[in-house]
Amino acid sequence: MKNIAVLVHDFAVEYADLILSGIYKFFAERKDVRVFFVQTWLPHEQRGLFDYQYWSSIEYLKSDSIDEIIIVSNTYSYACSLENIRDLFECFFNKKVISVGFDLNPEKTHFIYADCSKSYEEVVSHLKNEHNCKNIAFYSANKLDSPEAHARYAAFKNALKKNKLEFHKDWVFAGNFTPYGIEETLSEKYKCRADVPFDAMICANDIMGMAVINYFISIGLKVPEELKIIGLDNTYHSVLCTPSLSTIDQDIEGLGYRTAKFGLELFKDKEHPHCIVTEMKPVYRHSCGCSDQVEQKKRDIFKAVYNRYSEFRRLKDIFDLIQGASSIQTFADSLKSIVKYTGFTNLVVFVLPEPLFIERNDEIELPGEARILLEVDTESGVSEYYENSEYFDYRKSLFIKQKINKNPGCFVFQPLFQKDEHYGYLICRVEHTDFTLNSLLLKVITSVIVQNYSYTKTIDQKQQLENVNKELKQKATELHVRSQSDELTGILNRRGFMEYGRRFISLATDMDTTGLVFFADLDGLKTINDTYGHDYGDRAIKAESEVLRLAFRKMDIIGRLSGDEFGIVATGMDFDFIDKLREKVDKLNEEISRENNFPFTLSISLGAVKFDENNCDLEELLKIADKNLYEQKKIHHARNKQ
């Protein structure tokens, strides 16, 4: 079984969608190859809040289990120079590599591209001989350091020369394969129809061609009567614009199919060409004055639009299905239905030992090991959550043999992340070739997986916290170590309180949990001792420790610090609860005083301070809580005078 990774910058581009569709169609029925479609964006990508995280896929794909890399290199040229693209993918040059669009490394890689030279000669000849155009302008993509942009510009100049037409440098405009900036550029020179000196314009791609049509029509120029316009790509948009756009068809889907075939041939033990060239073909429509022979193309577009509504229903259904899941165990039960509704048949999720915090400008460094978390296979009816699976080295193999290693087909490979936290990766078999929608659906699925996984970990951690606390208290109860237990009250003494309190706070902050530290002081102990004797004073201290035990939770740490002073550590508690707590303490003081037939009513003052990861020194927290206690003392004294 051979494993091939196909890399593109972004799924949500028509060119990428078409070329991936061609690759998919070649490999879909093969039983000896597994193909992974991967959108990577770029490291430190500035567009999107967290799209830079997609580049982490590159680190996983360095795995020994990936035998070949197909890089749709021209999709990266929109945002990156040729040299930078070579540097980015140099890490794969020890594998078999095919570059689509241009040569990455003459000695270590292969490449395939569609040649526009003959097509440009035909187009210029057509404009000259069929439409009597002698003055032809060119809207280039020369703002980009792109081999395709350079090749199309060179082919245009050569076509003019072959057809003995004059080249006007002033009639060449620089774009970037997008419509942005075209109106501003043209409006600087051409305010009205009389300003336009040429009778035809060839554009480096269809999107730019449509923007050019829109601008010249807006200033009153008639297309095609007064100006002929031709694009390149033969996209759906070229058929739907008005007038329909004459263009050059590079058969993007066919290029993808031929790339896939070339990729499979590289595994055969024989010599292979360094480069494969495909040809483009002119398609003449209304924008150059020709009749529009696109009925079949229009039917294909109508079918695609009709199917698009069905695709959107897939998206709606997934939102309905994901509602209500809370833990990863619950989610695993519904995941099988979710995957089925999205058109995916197999999904496997792998997680790292701990989530990694990765910011936009960080270099991505992954730990090298992962474990399986979830597996869903709608064909076999499997839907399983692995709570404690073993970790493996994904640098050797991205897969667990019994789960996916013998499973051929076409998959999407995607990193698993939520905002700036990176969790691992997933592999998902795709049954639909709409990679734009596949990407969106997987984004929703991964978001829910991460949320439920994080929720489950939080629940587990809190349970672990409670279990540790129970163990700590159990040890204190069973051992009755004099150095850690208070002889009078039976609760922790200062030494025991400080030891267990610090451990409790440290564990809580490690799990992103906050809480309160209390300093408590029995009111009027000196008066009790002077009036009723020290025996009553000791009984009051002991009774007050019982009040604190009943008022606080079993999981909270309570200790006698000295004399009539107590300390409490309560995780998960906030200041909103303190008023109710004091009411409970006052009520218990009255009840315990009656039960002990005290000739006085017990009273205690409480001071509190919040602890978190930035304020977790128990000694300092007790000092702050002690200061806050004096305010309570004033309240008690005022109440006693009433």
Side-chain angles (χ1 to χ4, degrees):
M1 181 74 66
K2 299 297 184 181
N3 296 304
I4 301 176
V6 181
L7 311 184
V8 297
H9 176 253
D10 177 14
F11 282 159
V13 177
E14 186 174 356
Y15 179 90
D17 206 36
L18 287 170
I19 203 163
L20 294 182
S21 178
I23 295 172
Y24 179 97
K25 287 180 179 179
F26 180 83
F27 284 121
E29 301 302 322
R30 299 201 64 90
K31 304 299 182 184
D32 55 346
V33 177
R34 187 168 39 235
V35 181
F36 301 96
F37 297 95
V38 190
Q39 67 172 346
T40 66
W41 291 81
L42 287 171
H44 323 305
E45 182 79 50
Q46 294 301 311
R47 291 184 295 169
L49 290 176
F50 304 103
D51 289 326
Y52 64 86
Q53 283 262 10
Y54 282 105
W55 185 253
S56 60
S57 294
I58 297 297
E59 295 301 311
Y60 294 110
L61 297 175
K62 292 176 183 177
S63 170
D64 295 341
S65 58
I66 299 298
D67 303 296
E68 181 175 291
I69 304 286
I70 295 174
I71 305 171
V72 188
S73 303
N74 44 18
T75 64
Y76 295 90
S77 62
Y78 290 90
C80 196
S81 70
L82 174 58
E83 288 305 313
N84 285 339
I85 295 171
R86 285 172 173 158
D87 290 342
L88 287 173
F89 295 112
E90 187 177 6
C91 59
F92 293 126
F93 290 172
N94 61 330
K95 302 178 184 288
K96 298 181 187 297
V97 174
I98 299 176
S99 169
V100 180
F102 51 84
D103 196 359
L104 281 179
N105 186 301
E107 297 180 355
K108 298 181 179 180
T109 68
H110 302 267
F111 78 107
I112 183 170
Y113 76 100
D115 183 28
C116 62
S117 301
K118 291 182 180 179
S119 296
Y120 268 62
E121 290 179 25
E122 289 183 38
V123 164
V124 172
S125 176
H126 176 82
L127 290 171
K128 175 185 175 183
N129 299 322
E130 297 294 328
H131 301 295
N132 199 33
C133 296
K134 301 293 190 295
N135 302 307
I136 305 176
F138 187 65
Y139 215 115
S140 74
N142 289 346
K143 284 185 177 180
L144 300 176
D145 180 19
S146 162
E148 284 186 327
H150 300 327
R152 292 176 193 184
Y153 181 42
F156 168 73
K157 291 194 295 182
N158 187 61
L160 290 181
K161 184 177 180 180
K162 286 285 184 71
N163 284 275
K164 298 180 179 180
L165 294 177
E166 186 177 354
F167 170 73
H168 295 269
K169 191 172 183 179
D170 291 344
W171 297 353
V172 175
F173 307 92
N176 59 358
F177 286 129
T178 75
Y180 305 116
I182 288 179
E183 180 179 349
E184 291 80 1
T185 299
L186 293 176
S187 63
E188 290 178 2
K189 300 182 74 171
Y190 311 116
K191 306 292 184 186
C192 63
R193 59 192 296 180
D195 295 336
V196 180
F198 39 81
D199 47 26
M201 176 177 280
I202 298 175
C203 301
N205 73 353
D206 287 348
I207 296 176
M208 298 167 71
M210 288 181 281
V212 167
I213 288 177
N214 291 337
Y215 176 72
F216 283 122
I217 289 178
S218 73
I219 64 171
L221 205 63
K222 295 180 180 179
V223 178
E225 292 82 359
E226 297 174 307
L227 181 66
K228 321 295 183 186
I229 297 176
I230 294 180
L232 189 150
D233 276 340
N234 196 25
T235 61
Y236 286 155
H237 303 89
S238 65
V239 181
L240 299 176
C241 74
T242 304
S244 58
L245 181 65
S246 294
T247 185
I248 297 172
D249 186 3
Q250 61 171 316
D251 187 13
I252 302 172
E253 191 171 293
L255 179 63
Y257 191 92
R258 186 64 188 90
T259 301
K261 184 178 179 182
F262 186 26
L264 191 62
E265 290 171 351
L266 288 183
F267 289 115
K268 298 177 181 178
D269 188 19
K270 64 177 184 178
E271 292 294 324
H272 301 284
H274 173 60
C275 172
I276 290 181
V277 182
T278 64
E279 300 292 338
M280 301 186 186
K281 180 182 179 181
V283 179
Y284 302 117
R285 299 190 182 120
H286 286 162
S287 69
C288 74
C290 293
S291 59
D292 198 345
Q293 306 292 328
V294 293
E295 291 305 315
Q296 182 58 48
K297 189 80 171 180
K298 287 181 177 178
R299 283 193 291 271
D300 292 341
I301 294 171
F302 174 79
K303 182 179 178 181
V305 172
Y306 178 79
N307 289 337
R308 176 68 57 162
Y309 287 101
S310 174
E311 298 297 298
F312 286 147
R313 282 194 291 272
R314 289 166 60 199
L315 185 59
K316 180 188 73 67
D317 290 339
I318 191 174
F319 276 107
D320 292 338
L321 284 166
I322 63 178
Q323 294 178 9
S326 55
S327 68
I328 202 73
Q329 295 95 328
T330 305
F331 179 64
D333 295 333
S334 61
L335 188 58
K336 184 166 60 175
S337 297
I338 294 173
V339 172
K340 180 180 180 180
Y341 270 80
T342 59
F344 305 134
T345 57
N346 181 260
L347 183 146
V348 186
V349 179
F350 301 91
V351 292
L352 304 177
E354 292 294 335
L356 298 178
F357 181 77
I358 303 176
E359 292 187 300
R360 189 186 303 276
N361 295 322
D362 290 345
E363 296 300 324
I364 298 174
E365 296 182 6
L366 302 180
E369 61 177 8
R371 69 177 183 87
I372 187 171
L373 178 73
L374 288 171
E375 178 194 11
V376 174
D377 190 335
T378 58
E379 293 180 342
S380 62
V382 172
S383 179
E384 192 165 354
Y385 161 59
Y386 300 90
E387 184 176 4
N388 294 305
S389 55
E390 293 184 2
Y391 286 96
F392 62 91
D393 188 347
Y394 57 73
R395 292 167 298 190
K396 297 183 182 298
S397 177
L398 287 168
F399 330 111
I400 297 177
K401 290 184 179 179
Q402 65 269 31
K403 302 302 177 188
I404 194 172
N405 209 32
K406 296 181 179 180
N407 199 355
C410 295
F411 297 79
V412 170
F413 182 98
Q414 181 162 305
L416 190 67
F417 62 89
Q418 180 78 352
K419 295 184 177 180
D420 47 18
E421 286 193 306
H422 184 88
Y423 288 80
Y425 60 96
L426 65 82
I427 298 166
C428 186
R429 187 203 294 271
V430 292
E431 300 296 330
H432 297 269
T433 58
D434 187 337
F435 285 92
T436 300
L437 188 59
N438 286 340
S439 174
L440 181 58
L441 291 169
L442 280 176
K443 200 173 185 71
V444 175
I445 290 175
T446 56
S447 176
V448 178
I449 289 174
V450 169
Q451 289 176 16
N452 286 277
Y453 178 54
S454 298
Y455 177 79
T456 301
K457 287 189 71 175
T458 300
I459 295 299
D460 292 343
Q461 287 171 344
K462 287 188 175 180
Q463 184 61 51
Q464 180 186 1
L465 187 66
E466 291 184 8
N467 292 339
V468 170
N469 180 56
K470 289 178 181 178
E471 291 177 9
L472 292 175
K473 287 202 168 186
Q474 185 69 27
K475 286 181 180 180
T477 302
E478 292 175 354
L479 296 175
H480 286 288
V481 180
R482 190 174 295 273
S483 64
Q484 294 181 336
S485 299
D486 180 59
E487 186 176 354
L488 175 63
T489 62
I491 63 176
L492 293 170
N493 60 16
R494 183 180 184 88
R495 178 179 177 181
F497 175 77
M498 296 302 291
E499 178 182 341
Y500 289 118
R502 285 177 178 135
R503 291 170 62 182
F504 201 46
I505 290 173
S506 176
L507 184 59
T509 54
D510 285 346
M511 297 178 181
D512 292 328
T513 302
T514 63
L516 297 177
V517 171
F518 291 86
F519 190 92
D521 186 0
L522 182 64
D523 295 327
L525 179 61
K526 185 176 185 304
T527 301
I528 294 173
N529 285 331
D530 293 344
T531 306
Y532 305 104
H534 286 276
D535 181 55
Y536 267 102
D538 289 344
R539 290 174 59 191
I541 292 171
K542 187 175 181 180
E544 195 60 55
S545 70
E546 182 64 21
V547 168
L548 294 176
R549 279 176 173 171
L550 296 172
F552 284 89
R553 302 165 300 183
K554 291 183 179 180
M555 64 180 291
D556 298 326
I557 301 289
I558 303 171
R560 183 185 176 195
L561 304 180
S562 66
D564 56 354
E565 295 174 342
F566 300 87
I568 304 99
V569 176
T571 60
M573 190 179 292
D574 56 39
F575 285 106
D576 293 338
F577 184 70
I578 290 181
D579 288 341
K580 291 183 179 180
L581 177 66
R582 286 181 175 133
E583 291 178 7
K584 185 176 182 180
V585 168
D586 289 344
K587 185 177 180 181
L588 285 169
N589 275 326
E590 293 177 1
E591 293 176 359
I592 297 295
S593 297
R594 285 195 298 271
E595 290 175 6
N596 284 274
N597 296 316
F598 287 151
F600 49 82
T601 300
L602 292 169
S603 176
I604 194 170
S605 297
L606 295 169
V609 62
K610 181 180 178 180
F611 72 79
D612 54 33
E613 62 179 352
N614 297 318
N615 299 289
C616 54
D617 187 316
L618 182 55
E619 196 76 53
E620 291 299 318
L621 291 167
L622 286 171
K623 290 178 182 178
I624 298 171
D626 187 18
K627 292 179 181 178
N628 294 338
L629 176 141
Y630 282 102
E631 292 298 322
Q632 288 302 310
K633 285 285 187 182
K634 293 177 183 178
I635 294 172
H636 277 276
H637 289 322
R639 185 169 58 193
N640 291 336
K641 291 178 180 179
Q642 293 178 353

